[in-house]
C-alpha cells in the first residue's frame, strides 16, 4: 500500500495529460503499478500459512501461562508474609544491638574516666612522696586518655574531688608543668654535680610526659657545658700548633659526646633526635671557632702579611729590561718561611673542620637510617658519663668511611647552616689563596735566581730549578689536599697553580731561551772574546745553556707527571674528602696534565729552534759531501773497488758524528730522541732528491742498497729509544725499485707486491727510469 501511495503521489494529474504521448506514458505507469500490487498481494497470500501456524502455537501456550500466573500469586502472598515477620524481628534485634553498644560505650567511658580519676589522684600522691618515676607513669596514664573525654562534661562532673577541685584537663596540665619544673631543676642539679646516674634518670623522664623538646634543650645545655669545661690546650699561642691543637680539642670533645651519648638519646627520644642536640653543639662550636680565628688573626698579624704580599715584585719573573728599570731591593719583604707557617696553620684548621664535618654527617646519617629492628640496651644499664680522655681513634675522628649523601638530607642541611662553614670558607679565600699564590711565586723566583748555568766544556744536564720548584709544588698541592675543600681546590688549581707554573716557570724558561739567541752580536759581546775562537766559544756556551734549559723542561714534564700520579694515589684524598667529593677533587688535580702539554710544546719549539740555528745549516751539505765523486754506474771492477773502499758509509759516519757531537752527552734521553728524530727526518728529504738525480747500473743498485742498509743500521745503533729504519722507508723502497730486473714491469710490481708503499706510483716510475743497462 505504501508503494501504491508513493506511485499515486508521483502520478501526474489527468488534467495535465494534454497529448497522446503523455496519456500513453501515464497509462503505462498505471499498468506497472497494477502489476506491482498484484505481486505484493500474491506474496502476502503465500506467507499466510506460517503466520497462522505461529498463532496456533501461541494459543496452545495460553493455559500454561495462566497456571504459572496463579502459582506466582500464591508464592508472592507466602513470601510477603514471611518478609514482614522477618523485618519485624530484625528491627527488634537491631534496636537491642544499639542498646548494647551504648551500654558498652558508657561502661568504657566510665572505666576510662575512673582510670583518669585514679591516675590523677595517684599522680599527686607520687608528687607529694617525690616518687618521680611513679609520678611519670601515672601522668603518662592520664595523658593516654583522649582529649574529648578529659574535656567532656561527664569527666568534669565526676573527676574533681575536694583535694583536686579543678577540671581534669587543668589538673593534668598543672601536674605536667610542676613535673617539668622539678625535672629541669633536678637535671640541672645532677649535671652540675656531674652525677651521671641522676642525669640519666631525669633525662629519660622528660619524653614520657610529653616534654621531649624541653628535655633535649636541658640535655643540650648539659653537653654544651661539658664542651666548655674541656681541658685547655697547654702551650703558648705563639706555637705554630697552638690553634690547630685547640680546634682539634674542641672537635674531639664534641665528637666524643656524640659517640658516647648518641645511643641514649636515640633510645629514649627516637631516631634522628640527636640532630637537635648537635644543632646546639654546633652553635657553641660556631662561637668558639669565631673567637679562635679572631685570636689567630691578631696573634699572627695576618692582615699585615696580607698587605705586604698584595703587590709583590719578583725580579727573575720579569723581562731583563723591566728588571733593570723597576727592581729595587726590598728589605722589608715577607719571609717565605713565616708565610709557610701561616699557610700550614690555615690548611690545618680547614682540614680539621673537614674531618669533623664528615664525621658528623656520617654518624647522623647512620642514626636516621637506623631501623627499628635494632634491639636497644636495657634502660637500667644506660647511663650518661662525663667524657674522659679520648682514644686515638676518636682523636682522629675517623669513625666512618661511608659517603655523605649528595641530596639535601637533614644532617647535611644542619651542618651547612652553621657559621663554621662561612668562617672556614672566608679563611681560605681571604688568607690561604692570596698567601699561597705569593708563596708559590716567591719560591719559583728564588729557584730561578739561585739556579745558574756554568759555562764549561762539560756542563750539567739540568739546573736545580726543576727539583726546587717541584719539591715546593708538591708541598703546596699536599697542603691544598689537606684543606678538604673542593671549592678551594678548584680555585687554587684553575687560578693559581696552572697560571703560575705556566707563566712564572715554563714562561720564564722560554724567555731565557729566547734571550740566548736574541742577537748573535750580543752573544759575542758577552763572551769577551773576539775572532773565530771567540765565536766558537760563544756558540758552545750558548748551545750548552740552551740545551740545559731544554733539559729542564723535559725533567719538569716528567716531574709533573709523577706529581699528578702521586697526588691522585695519596691517602690524604680519602681522609680529607667525603666519598662523593673525591671524584671532583681528583678531576681537578688530573687537569694539571695540561701543564705537561705546555712543557712539551715549549720543548718542541726549543729543539726546533736549536736545530734550525745549529744543525740544519750543516745538514744542507751533508748528503752532497757524502756522495761527492760517488757513482752507482758500476761494472764488476768498480763494484769491487766500491766494496773495498766503503766510501759512503765512512763519510756519512764521520759527517754525522761531527753533526751531533756533544748533543747525546748533554741532552736528556727524551730530548735527544726528539732531536735525533728531527735530524733524521730532515736528512732523508734531500737524500731522496739527490738519489733521484743519479743513475744506477745493476751492480750500482746493489751497492746503493748495501750503503743504505749500513747507514740505517748505524743510526739505529746510536739510539736506545727506537728504530731509525722507519725514517728510511721511502729510501728503502727506492732501493727496491732500483734492484728490479730490467725486464720486470714496475707498475705491475707496484700493484701486486703487497708492500705498504710510501712512494706514489708516479715516483716508482721515476725511480725505475734511473736504471741503466
Amino acid at each position: 500500500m505504501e508503494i501504491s501511495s508513493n506511485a499515486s503521489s508521483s502520478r501526474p494529474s489527468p488534467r495535465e495529460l494534454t497529448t497522446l504521448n503523455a496519456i500513453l506514458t501515464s497509462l503505462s505507469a498505471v499498468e506497472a503499478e497494477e502489476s506491482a500490487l498484484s505481486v505484493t498481494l500474491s506474496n502476502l497470500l503465500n506467507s499466510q500459512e506460517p503466520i497462522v501456524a505461529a498463532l496456533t502455537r501461541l494459543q496452545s501456550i495460553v493455559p500454561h501461562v495462566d497456571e504459572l500466573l496463579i502459582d506466582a500469586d500464591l508464592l508472592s502472598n507466602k513470601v510477603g508474609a514471611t518478609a514482614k515477620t522477618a523485618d519485624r524481628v530484625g528491627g527488634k534485634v537491631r534496636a537491642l544491638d544499639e542498646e548494647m553498644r551504648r551500654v558498652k560505650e558508657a561502661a568504657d567511658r566510665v572505666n576510662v574516666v575512673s582510670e583518669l580519676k585514679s591516675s590523677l589522684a595517684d599522680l599527686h600522691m607520687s608528687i607529694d612522696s617525690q616518687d618521680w618515676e611513679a609520678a611519670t607513669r601515672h601522668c603518662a596514664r592520664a595523658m593516654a586518655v583522649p582529649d574529648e573525654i578529659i574535656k567532656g562534661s561527664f569527666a568534669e562532673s565526676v573527676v574533681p574531688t575536694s583535694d583536686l577541685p579543678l577540671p581534669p584537663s587543668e589538673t593534668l596540665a598543672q601536674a605536667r608543668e610542676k613535673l617539668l619544673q622539678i625535672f629541669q631543676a633536678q637535671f640541672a642539679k645532677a649535671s652540675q654535680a656531674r652525677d651521671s646516674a641522676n642525669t640519666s634518670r631525669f633525662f629519660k623522664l622528660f619524653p614520657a610526659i610529653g616534654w621531649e623538646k624541653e628535655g633535649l634543650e636541658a640535655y643540650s645545655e648539659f653537653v654544651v657545658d661539658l664542651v666548655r669545661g674541656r681541658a685547655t690546650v697547654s702551650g703558648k699561642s705563639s706555637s705554630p700548633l697552638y690553634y690547630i691543637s685547640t680546634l682539634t680539642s674542641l672537635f674531639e670533645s664534641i665528637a666524643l659526646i656524640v659517640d658516647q651519648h648518641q645511643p641514649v638519646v636515640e633510645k629514649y627520644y627516637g631516631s634522628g633526635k640527636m640532630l637537635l642536640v648537635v644543632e646546639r653543639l654546633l652553635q657553641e662550636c660556631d662561637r668558639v671557632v669565631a673567637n679562635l680565628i679572631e685570636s689567630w688573626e691578631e696573634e699572627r698579624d695576618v692582615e699585615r702579611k696580607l698587605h705586604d704580599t698584595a703587590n709583590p715584585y719578583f725580579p727573575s719573573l720579569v723581562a731583563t729590561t723591566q728588571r733593570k728599570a723597576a727592581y729595587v731591593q726590598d728589605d722589608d719583604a715577607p719571609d717565605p718561611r713565616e708565610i709557610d707557617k701561616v699557610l700550614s696553620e690555615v690548611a690545618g684548621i680547614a682540614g680539621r673542620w673537614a674531618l669533623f664535618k664528615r664525621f658528623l654527617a656520617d654518624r647522623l646519617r647512620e642514626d636516621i637510617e637506623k631501623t627499628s629492628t635494632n634491639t636497644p640496651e636495657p634502660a637500667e644499664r644506660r647511663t650518661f658519663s662525663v667524657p674522659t680522655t679520648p682514644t686515638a681513634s676518636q682523636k682522629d675522628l675517623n669513625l666512618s668511611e661511608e659517603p655523605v649523601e649528595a641530596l639535601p638530607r637533614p644532617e647535611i642541611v644542619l651542618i651547612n647552616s652553621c657559621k663554621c662553614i662561612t668562617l672556614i670558607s672566608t679563611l681560605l679565600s681571604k688568607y690561604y689563596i692570596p698567601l699561597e699564590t705569593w708563596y708559590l711565586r716567591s719560591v719559583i723566583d728564588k729557584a730561578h735566581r739561585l739556579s745558574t748555568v756554568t759555562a764549561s766544556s762539560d756542563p750539567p744536564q739540568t739546573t736545580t730549578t726543576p727539583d726546587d720548584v717541584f719539591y715546593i709544588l708538591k708541598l703546596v698541592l699536599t697542603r691544598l689536599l689537606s684543606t678538604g675543600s673542593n671549592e678551594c681546590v678548584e680555585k687554587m688549581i684553575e687560578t693559581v697553580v696552572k697560571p703560575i707554573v705556566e707563566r712564572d716557570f715554563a714562561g720564564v724558561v722560554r724567555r731565557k731561551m729566547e734571550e740566548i739567541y736574541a742577537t748573535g752580536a750580543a752573544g759575542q759581546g758577552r763572551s769577551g772574546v773576539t775572532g773565530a775562537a771567540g765565536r766558537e766559544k760563544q756558540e758552545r756556551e750558548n748551545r750548552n745553556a740552551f740545551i740545559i734549559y731544554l733539559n729542564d723542561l723535559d725533567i719538569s714534564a716528567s716531574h709533573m707527571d709523577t706529581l699528578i700520579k702521586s697526588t691522585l694515589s695519596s691517602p690524604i684524598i680519602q681522609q680529607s674528602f667525603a666519598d662523593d667529593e673525591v671524584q671532583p677533587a681528583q678531576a681537578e688535580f688530573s687537569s694539571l696534565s695540561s701543564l705537561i702539554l705546555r712543557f712539551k710544546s715549549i720543548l718542541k719549539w726549543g729543539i726546533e729552534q736549536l736545530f734550525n740555528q745549529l744543525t740544519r745549516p750543516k745538514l744542507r751539505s751533508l748528503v752532497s759531501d757524502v756522495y761527492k765523486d760517488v757513482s752507482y754506474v758500476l761494472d764488476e771492477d768498480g763494484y769491487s773497488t766500491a766494496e773495498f773502499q766503503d766510501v759512503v758509509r765512512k763519510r756519512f759516519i764521520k759527517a754525522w758524528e761531527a753533526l751531533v757531537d756533544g748533543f747525546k752527552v748533554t741532552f736528556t734521553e727524551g730530548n735527544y730522541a726528539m732531536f735525533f728524530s728531527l735530524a733524521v727526518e730532515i736528512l732523508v728529504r734531500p737524500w731522496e732528491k739527490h738519489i733521484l738525480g743519479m743513475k744506477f747500473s745493476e751492480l750500482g743498485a746493489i751497492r746503493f742498497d748495501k750503503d743504505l742498509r749500513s747507514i740505517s743500521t748505524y743510526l739505529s745503533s746510536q739510539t736506545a729509544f727506537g728504530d731509525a729504519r722507519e725514517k728510511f722507508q721511502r729510501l728503502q723502497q727506492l732501493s727496491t725499485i732500483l734492484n728490479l730486473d730490467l725486464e720486470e714491469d714496475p707498475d705491475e710490481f707496484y700493484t701486486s707486491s703487497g708492500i705498504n708503499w710510501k712512494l706514489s706510483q708516479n715516483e716508482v716510475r721515476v725511480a725505475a727510469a734511473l736504471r741503466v743497462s
Side-chain angles (χ1 to χ4, degrees), residues 224 251 254 275-289 353 356-357 360 364 411 414-420:
V224 167
F251 292 155
I254 296 176
L275 281 173
L276 301 176
V277 180
V278 172
E279 181 179 6
R280 183 65 184 89
L281 286 170
L282 286 177
Q283 292 173 2
E284 176 64 16
C285 183
D286 293 340
R287 184 189 66 81
V288 176
V289 172
W353 164 251
F356 175 67
K357 181 178 67 172
L360 284 182
L364 294 176
E411 69 275 9
L414 171 62
I415 295 172
N416 289 339
S417 64
C418 72
K419 293 181 181 179
C420 281

Side-chain angles (χ1 to χ4, degrees), residues 259-455:
D259 185 47
Q260 292 181 348
H261 291 201
Q262 184 179 12
V264 183
V265 174
E266 300 299 332
K267 175 179 175 59
Y268 295 113
Y269 287 77
S271 177
K273 297 302 181 181
M274 193 64 186
L275 281 173
L276 301 176
V277 180
V278 172
E279 181 179 6
R280 183 65 184 89
L281 286 170
L282 286 177
Q283 292 173 2
E284 176 64 16
C285 183
D286 293 340
R287 184 189 66 81
V288 176
V289 172
N291 293 336
L292 193 70
I293 291 178
E294 183 179 355
S295 174
W296 174 82
E297 290 174 337
E298 182 178 353
E299 177 69 27
R300 300 294 184 257
D301 197 11
V302 287
E303 290 290 347
R304 182 185 63 80
K305 290 182 174 63
L306 196 63
H307 179 267
D308 292 343
T309 59
N311 298 303
Y313 173 71
F314 302 108
S316 64
L317 305 184
V318 297
T320 305
T321 54
Q322 298 175 346
R323 193 183 312 155
K324 292 178 179 178
Y327 180 61
V328 177
Q329 184 66 34
D330 186 4
D331 296 331
D332 297 330
D335 186 352
R337 291 172 297 182
E338 293 297 325
I339 301 300
D340 180 61
K341 292 178 182 178
V342 171
L343 289 170
S344 297
E345 280 191 294
V346 176
I349 291 172
R352 296 300 189 278
W353 164 251
L355 200 59
F356 175 67
K357 181 178 67 172
R358 181 183 179 189
F359 163 76
L360 284 182
D362 289 344
R363 290 303 297 269
L364 294 176
R365 185 189 66 247
E366 291 172 2
D367 238 10
I368 294 175
E369 293 176 350
K370 192 180 301 179
T371 61
S372 59
T373 57
N374 294 334
T375 304
E377 188 177 347
E380 294 79 6
R381 299 171 57 186
R382 306 304 292 267
T383 59
F384 281 100
S385 62
V386 179
T388 56
T389 304
T391 62
S393 61
Q394 290 165 340
K395 284 185 176 181
D396 292 339
L397 301 181
N398 193 13
L399 304 177
S400 176
E401 295 296 333
E402 294 186 9
V404 178
E405 297 289 340
L407 297 176
R409 299 176 59 87
E411 69 275 9
I412 301 300
V413 174
L414 171 62
I415 295 172
N416 289 339
S417 64
C418 72
K419 293 181 181 179
C420 281
I421 292 285
T422 305
L423 291 172
I424 300 300
S425 178
T426 302
L427 194 68
L428 291 173
S429 61
K430 184 178 180 181
Y431 298 119
Y432 177 77
I433 294 179
L435 291 178
E436 193 74 273
T437 302
W438 181 91
Y439 178 73
L440 183 58
R441 295 196 69 198
S442 69
V443 170
I444 293 177
D445 171 66
K446 185 176 181 180
H448 283 308
R449 286 189 285 110
L450 297 181
S451 176
T452 58
V453 178
T454 304

Side-chain angles (χ1 to χ4, degrees), residues 49-337:
E49 184 177 352
I51 296 173
V52 172
L55 291 175
T56 303
R57 287 195 301 273
L58 290 175
Q59 190 67 30
S60 65
I61 296 174
V62 170
H64 298 288
V65 173
D66 292 338
E67 292 178 1
L68 291 175
L69 179 60
I70 295 170
D71 293 341
D73 289 339
L74 294 175
L75 181 61
S76 176
N77 294 332
K78 292 179 180 180
V79 170
T82 304
K84 289 179 181 179
T85 303
D87 183 63
R88 184 172 63 254
V89 174
K92 293 180 179 181
V93 171
R94 286 193 296 272
L96 182 60
D97 289 341
E98 179 64 19
E99 290 178 3
M100 291 178 64
R101 184 189 67 79
R102 290 179 180 180
V103 170
K104 186 177 182 302
E105 182 179 346
D108 291 341
R109 177 157 297 194
V110 169
N111 290 334
V112 170
V113 172
S114 176
E115 176 71 14
L116 174 62
K117 184 175 182 179
S118 174
S119 298
L120 292 178
D122 293 341
L123 171 60
H124 281 78
M125 290 176 61
S126 299
I127 292 176
D128 293 338
S129 62
Q130 297 186 357
D131 186 353
W132 310 124
E133 284 75 11
T136 301
R137 289 195 300 271
H138 297 315
C139 184
R141 285 169 52 203
M143 291 174 61
V145 177
D147 286 343
E148 60 270 17
I149 296 179
I150 296 177
K151 297 178 181 180
S153 57
F154 178 68
E156 290 182 349
S157 63
V158 172
V159 173
T161 63
S162 58
D163 294 331
L164 302 173
L166 294 177
S169 58
E170 296 182 19
T171 301
L172 179 59
Q174 289 181 359
R176 290 182 65 238
E177 290 289 345
K178 186 174 182 179
L179 287 176
L180 174 62
Q181 295 173 5
I182 294 171
F183 291 170
Q184 287 176 334
Q186 293 295 328
F187 183 87
K189 181 179 178 181
S191 62
Q192 290 174 3
R194 296 295 189 266
D195 186 347
S196 300
N198 277 329
T199 302
S200 177
R201 173 193 177 191
F202 287 100
F203 174 70
K204 66 184 181 182
L205 297 180
F206 284 100
I209 58 174
W211 297 117
E212 178 182 285
K213 180 179 178 182
E214 288 73 10
L216 290 174
E217 288 177 353
Y219 168 71
S220 299
E221 291 300 325
F222 164 63
V223 295
V224 167
D225 187 55
L226 292 179
V227 172
R228 291 171 180 169
R230 72 187 186 282
T232 58
V233 176
S234 60
K236 297 181 179 180
S237 60
S238 58
S239 171
L241 296 178
Y242 175 79
Y243 289 98
I244 296 178
S245 300
T246 303
L247 195 67
T248 302
S249 174
L250 170 67
F251 292 155
E252 283 178 353
S253 62
I254 296 176
L256 192 58
I257 287 172
V258 173
D259 185 47
Q260 292 181 348
H261 291 201
Q262 184 179 12
V264 183
V265 174
E266 300 299 332
K267 175 179 175 59
Y268 295 113
Y269 287 77
S271 177
K273 297 302 181 181
M274 193 64 186
L275 281 173
L276 301 176
V277 180
V278 172
E279 181 179 6
R280 183 65 184 89
L281 286 170
L282 286 177
Q283 292 173 2
E284 176 64 16
C285 183
D286 293 340
R287 184 189 66 81
V288 176
V289 172
N291 293 336
L292 193 70
I293 291 178
E294 183 179 355
S295 174
W296 174 82
E297 290 174 337
E298 182 178 353
E299 177 69 27
R300 300 294 184 257
D301 197 11
V302 287
E303 290 290 347
R304 182 185 63 80
K305 290 182 174 63
L306 196 63
H307 179 267
D308 292 343
T309 59
N311 298 303
Y313 173 71
F314 302 108
S316 64
L317 305 184
V318 297
T320 305
T321 54
Q322 298 175 346
R323 193 183 312 155
K324 292 178 179 178
Y327 180 61
V328 177
Q329 184 66 34
D330 186 4
D331 296 331
D332 297 330
D335 186 352
R337 291 172 297 182

Side-chain angles (χ1 to χ4, degrees), residues 428-429 432-434 436-438 440-441 480 487-504 588 591-592:
L428 291 173
S429 61
Y432 177 77
I433 294 179
E436 193 74 273
T437 302
W438 181 91
L440 183 58
R441 295 196 69 198
L480 178 60
E487 181 182 1
C488 183
V489 167
E490 182 180 359
K491 288 182 180 178
M492 277 291 297
I493 295 295
E494 298 298 332
T495 65
V496 177
V497 177
K498 285 183 181 178
I500 288 178
V501 174
E502 182 174 346
R503 180 187 66 246
D504 294 342
E588 282 298 329
S591 68
L592 289 173

Side-chain angles (χ1 to χ4, degrees), residues 340 343-344 347 432 436 439 475-483:
D340 180 61
L343 289 170
S344 297
Y432 177 77
E436 193 74 273
Y439 178 73
L475 295 180
V476 169
L477 294 182
T478 302
R479 184 158 55 203
L480 178 60
L481 268 181
S482 67
T483 62

Side-chain angles (χ1 to χ4, degrees), residues 433-592:
I433 294 179
L435 291 178
E436 193 74 273
T437 302
W438 181 91
Y439 178 73
L440 183 58
R441 295 196 69 198
S442 69
V443 170
I444 293 177
D445 171 66
K446 185 176 181 180
H448 283 308
R449 286 189 285 110
L450 297 181
S451 176
T452 58
V453 178
T454 304
S456 63
S457 58
D458 187 20
Q461 281 193 330
T462 62
T463 67
T464 58
T465 305
D467 291 341
D468 292 342
V469 169
F470 280 91
Y471 173 77
I472 296 300
L473 185 59
K474 182 177 181 180
L475 295 180
V476 169
L477 294 182
T478 302
R479 184 158 55 203
L480 178 60
L481 268 181
S482 67
T483 62
S485 170
N486 262 333
E487 181 182 1
C488 183
V489 167
E490 182 180 359
K491 288 182 180 178
M492 277 291 297
I493 295 295
E494 298 298 332
T495 65
V496 177
V497 177
K498 285 183 181 178
I500 288 178
V501 174
E502 182 174 346
R503 180 187 66 246
D504 294 342
F505 178 63
V508 169
V509 172
R510 172 165 181 162
R511 190 184 71 236
K512 290 180 178 180
M513 293 165 63
E514 291 173 343
E515 290 175 353
I516 291 177
Y517 290 111
T519 58
Q524 294 178 12
R526 288 193 300 270
S527 68
V529 183
T530 59
R535 287 193 296 273
E536 183 179 352
K537 182 175 183 295
Q538 183 63 50
E539 180 180 341
R540 185 170 60 254
E541 291 176 353
N542 289 345
R543 185 189 71 174
N544 290 338
F546 202 89
I547 288 175
I548 287 176
Y549 288 136
L550 290 174
N551 291 343
D552 282 352
L553 290 171
D554 185 49
I555 293 297
S556 298
S558 176
H559 283 351
M560 179 56 72
D561 183 58
T562 302
L563 180 58
I564 293 174
K565 291 179 180 178
S566 64
T567 303
L568 293 178
S569 61
S570 173
I572 300 178
I573 292 184
Q574 303 295 333
Q575 295 172 3
S576 301
F577 294 88
D579 288 353
D580 61 339
E581 296 175 339
V582 170
Q583 187 174 357
Q586 289 178 333
E588 282 298 329
F589 282 98
S590 297
S591 68
L592 289 173

